[in-house]
Amino acid sequence: MFQYDKSRIDTKRRAGLDYKRKQFATPTYKQQEYVHRLNFYEIPPTAEITLEQFEQWAIDRLRILSELEACSYRNKTPAETAAHITPLLQKFLPLHSNTASSSGVDQRLKDERQKDHYSHFILRLAFSSTEDLRRRFVRLEAMLFKFRFQQDDSKERRAFVESLNFDWDILADEEKQELGESLLNATPGLKRTDDEGWFKVDWERVPELVERKGILVKKGKAYVPLREQLSMILAEFNARLEKALEFTSRALPRLDEDDRLIPILDHLSKNFGTSDTSYTDGEGAVPGAAINAASVDALSRHFPLCMRNLHMQLRKNAHLKHFGRLQYTLFLKGIGLSLEDCLIFWRQSFRNINDDEFNSKYRYNVRHAYGDVGGDANRRGRGYPPYSCQKILTDNAPGAGQTHGCPYRHFSVDNLISLLQATGVNDRETLQGVREDVAKTRYHIACNRVFEYVHKDDLKKAKDEGIMNQADLDTIVHPNTYFKRSYQLKNLGKLSKADVEMTT
């Protein structure tokens, strides 16, 4: 029998096999210098950060990406997008240039760039699991990169591009003269080839320019004028990120053992559509507003469609089933309705039953939602937070006879339009936009579209008078935010700018 002689193994050759496991090796710490404001995100972070930073940085970046997606869905112009995104970037993900500091890259710039760097890689983990998430992530990251590139200082931008060491061939003068007429015919707005510098690259590297039919393509090569440099950089950014995400998706199973990160990443990926964030007690209430059992009917005109529908059904049938009651109770709690007033409200609303039946079947559930009774989540007396849009969209879809959920998702289009018209939304353009949003599963965009139509005059007044700035008017992703913003806009004459800033 053949005997395997271990002594004959070449130790150098055996050591050479380690490259196969290099991708799974323990990362070694490497200090990031962040010389440039812009980043292609090619070097993974290795320094330690806290779990709180891990989650908050990711949430802040997700908020920016979601707002970019919302601007795209609502066909905002580049100028409108810039006006909307700029204050949000300053608030959640600032990234100043080197010229913003008299001493070069100071600690503030390093902290900003570290957050930008790490938050990108955290979301890369969260959104690499499916092809759809990867595609959306690449598209939105490219939008963010493009926005920052265009806003960057020209000198720093040039230095950043030079640092990337792209292998782009510069078109020689002899070839430029040879292709002169073809270059002129294929490049709109060009009068003389001598007026422009040119790159020569494989056509697959500039698909956007090829699709636009704005460049010459010949024998597999694309001839790109210097002014289209951004398109080439974006194509390279997309290609590298797509490749990196595919690699990350293969490494994801190795994270299953980390019970700290998986829940956070799962939460982030599920909330990609609406940038769902944690809800702070009382943040949906409006100080000074008259909110009690008797005022709910009047306040309902400020409710989002999901809660407006529940209120209308409650008034019509004098009853709501369990999930409808829970969704509505938590919303009322979030706008500032006290437990005592909430019990009065429900008792008066259930007009077809007596006190004994109400006390035995429904009173405890209301108290439990407020944290007045029960254990576990209610031990501290806070109860449960109001449902976010994401939770309403994804949890406990309504069945026959149930009225909870999101009308934009759970209603037929015809029933949805009828409900909107019943609440006073009759604008044909708005209703057509809602139809298109729902068809493309952009439910939160449809809701925001309706909000902007209903409050169009108030929004203009708030901006013109400086009572609300753009950062206060980001995309609504929570029913209680919808109520608070609606109430504020409809009561601008009673609220000062300080009042609005205090409550937003």
Side-chain angles (χ1 to χ4, degrees), residues 283-315:
E283 73 178 52
V286 183
I291 298 177
N292 51 55
S295 66
V296 174
D297 284 326
L299 294 171
S300 66
R301 71 190 182 102
H302 301 296
F303 294 177
L305 197 61
C306 53
M307 304 305 170
R308 188 84 175 267
N309 175 58
L310 287 170
H311 186 79
M312 292 167 66
Q313 293 300 319
L314 178 61
R315 288 293 179 248

Side-chain angles (χ1 to χ4, degrees), residues 79-92:
E80 290 172 335
T81 299
H84 182 76
I85 290 296
T86 299
L88 295 173
L89 280 170
Q90 291 298 323
K91 184 176 182 180
F92 296 106

Side-chain angles (χ1 to χ4, degrees), residues 296-297 300 303-325 327-328 345-346 348-352 398-407 411 415-416 418-420 422-423:
V296 174
D297 284 326
S300 66
F303 294 177
L305 197 61
C306 53
M307 304 305 170
R308 188 84 175 267
N309 175 58
L310 287 170
H311 186 79
M312 292 167 66
Q313 293 300 319
L314 178 61
R315 288 293 179 248
K316 177 182 177 181
N317 303 317
H319 188 267
L320 290 177
K321 291 193 174 182
H322 171 73
F323 287 117
R325 295 197 307 274
Q327 180 176 315
Y328 196 30
F345 169 78
W346 282 111
Q348 293 174 343
S349 298
F350 285 12
R351 59 183 180 271
N352 296 330
Q402 295 179 313
T403 51
H404 65 281
C406 173
F411 277 31
N415 287 343
L416 171 62
S418 296
L419 178 60
L420 285 170
T423 61

Side-chain angles (χ1 to χ4, degrees), residues 52-119:
E52 289 75 16
Q53 288 175 318
F54 184 94
E55 184 171 18
Q56 190 58 54
W57 289 359
I59 288 173
D60 288 346
R61 190 182 193 90
L62 178 58
R63 187 161 191 163
I64 298 298
L65 296 184
S66 296
E67 290 298 326
L68 281 170
E69 187 171 49
C71 289
S72 173
Y73 285 160
R74 283 183 267 181
N75 297 317
K76 288 185 178 292
T77 64
E80 290 172 335
T81 299
H84 182 76
I85 290 296
T86 299
L88 295 173
L89 280 170
Q90 291 298 323
K91 184 176 182 180
F92 296 106
L93 201 64
L95 199 63
H96 291 91
S97 63
N98 293 343
T99 54
S101 172
S102 58
S103 58
V105 183
D106 60 16
Q107 190 59 47
R108 184 192 67 165
L109 297 187
K110 289 180 180 178
D111 291 343
E112 290 178 353
R113 294 173 188 186
Q114 183 189 40
K115 179 179 179 179
D116 175 69
H117 181 215
Y118 280 57
S119 63

Side-chain angles (χ1 to χ4, degrees), residues 125 129 248-263 265-266:
L125 284 174
S129 58
T248 303
S249 68
R250 295 195 295 269
L252 276 180
R254 299 181 60 240
L255 286 176
D256 285 346
E257 298 176 2
D258 195 327
D259 56 5
R260 301 168 303 161
L261 301 186
I262 289 299
L265 296 175
D266 185 58

Side-chain angles (χ1 to χ4, degrees), residues 63 67 84 88 92 448 470-476 485:
R63 187 161 191 163
E67 290 298 326
H84 182 76
L88 295 173
F92 296 106
N448 278 267
Q470 196 63 51
D472 298 324
L473 300 172
D474 54 350
T475 303
I476 297 170
R485 196 170 296 174

